[in-house]
Amino acid sequence: GQNIDQPTEMTATEGAIVQINCTYQTSGFNGLFWYQQHAGEAPTFLSYNVLDGLEEKGRFSSFLSRSKGYSYLLLKELQMKDSASYLCAVRDNYGQNFVFGPGTRLSVLP
Amino acid sequence: DADVTQTPRNRITKTGKRIMLECSQTKGHDRMYWYRQDPGLGLQLIYYSFDVKDINKGEISDGYSVSRQAQAKFSLSLESAIPNQTALYFCATSDGTETQYFGPGTRLLVL
């Protein structure tokens, strides 16, 4: 079966660092994606990992361990505009489909 | 102009009515998807299509149908709308090698 877990909600302070975890059990794996979604808006692509390790993109980094079925998204120097939901998604072996986690709602406080 | 567009952006309808949500894309992608999102939940796949002649059911296809009229157009129909189909609907496209690109969403309310 397909199962992706993320914490439901997180809170952090402006300027701080926050790590959002994602664990997955899927029938196949061909990449893990992170999306940001502001309330009522479309998800937008943040990062992509297909090999183990850390991918860095400005204030955002994403890590993957395929053997552990685990990824995290790291957000540095938090800003108020980072308040949003963060969705973890796995693409299956054949690149056919994306399976989405429930999302983590992040609130950044002043 | 947006690469993926959806019409309408908002729709209110009554139980039992048939409605259609439309999606168009200018990215030239073969793959198109329809998702629904309920408050506080992730995206659930309704249907997907990998080319004009290919239609596949997703995890929650009951009560929905789709039509791929052209590479650029993928429409979702609710044959007889019911209140628990009230949700935010997203269309997405992909070329299969990279991420998906989402439309702005259609907010549907079924009374």
Side-chain angles (χ1 to χ4, degrees):
Chain A
Q2 317 270 56
N3 187 49
I4 299 179
D5 285 322
Q6 303 177 235
T8 303
E9 292 189 41
M10 297 183 73
T11 303
T13 305
E14 194 175 13
I17 299 173
V18 70
Q19 177 175 312
I20 302 174
N21 295 326
C22 170
T23 58
Y24 64 90
Q25 292 175 305
T26 55
S27 57
F29 181 86
N30 189 23
L32 188 139
F33 296 77
W34 284 96
Y35 294 85
Q36 181 189 61
Q37 185 181 25
H38 286 98
E41 298 182 9
T44 55
F45 171 70
L46 287 178
S47 71
Y48 164 62
N49 297 71
V50 66
L51 300 176
D52 290 351
L54 189 68
E55 293 284 340
E56 297 188 78
K57 227 185 202 185
R59 294 190 300 114
F60 296 85
S61 303
S62 58
F63 171 83
L64 175 66
S65 168
R66 288 171 296 170
S67 62
K68 295 182 180 178
Y70 168 71
S71 173
Y72 68 72
L73 179 70
L74 195 70
L75 292 76
K76 303 174 188 174
E77 301 169 16
L78 281 173
Q79 303 175 9
M80 300 298 289
K81 67 179 182 179
D82 296 329
S83 291
S85 288
Y86 291 85
L87 308 179
C88 170
V90 171
R91 187 171 61 188
D92 69 21
N93 262 345
Y94 304 102
Q96 304 280 8
N97 284 322
F98 294 71
V99 179
F100 283 83
T104 298
R105 188 163 61 213
L106 174 66
S107 298
V108 179
L109 305 178
Chain B
D1 287 340
D3 294 320
V4 185
T5 56
Q6 292 182 233
T7 56
R9 294 294 313 279
N10 294 280
R11 178 76 184 266
I12 300 174
T13 192
K14 294 182 179 178
T15 297
K17 293 290 188 183
R18 181 181 189 276
I19 67 162
M20 181 183 290
L21 310 183
E22 307 211 29
C23 176
S24 294
Q25 53 114 348
T26 58
K27 297 192 73 68
H29 290 166
D30 287 327
R31 301 182 178 197
M32 297 188 74
Y33 307 78
W34 275 105
Y35 293 93
R36 71 175 274 174
Q37 186 174 41
D38 296 281
L41 299 181
L43 297 165
Q44 294 177 280
L45 182 63
I46 307 172
Y47 270 95
Y48 60 100
S49 168
F50 288 165
D51 66 41
V52 175
K53 298 178 182 178
D54 176 74
I55 300 289
N56 303 281
K57 291 182 178 180
E59 55 189 306
I60 56 162
S61 59
D62 287 349
Y64 301 95
S65 62
V66 291
S67 174
R68 186 79 184 268
Q69 303 93 321
Q71 187 203 39
K73 295 184 183 297
F74 193 37
S75 59
L76 175 72
S77 293
L78 285 68
E79 298 302 325
S80 179
I82 56 176
N84 77 0
Q85 290 178 312
T86 293
L88 186 54
Y89 290 84
F90 287 105
C91 172
T93 74
S94 168
D95 72 355
T97 63
E98 54 182 32
T99 186
Q100 293 181 314
Y101 296 88
F102 288 86
T106 295
R107 191 174 298 277
L108 176 66
L109 173 61
V110 183
L111 301 175

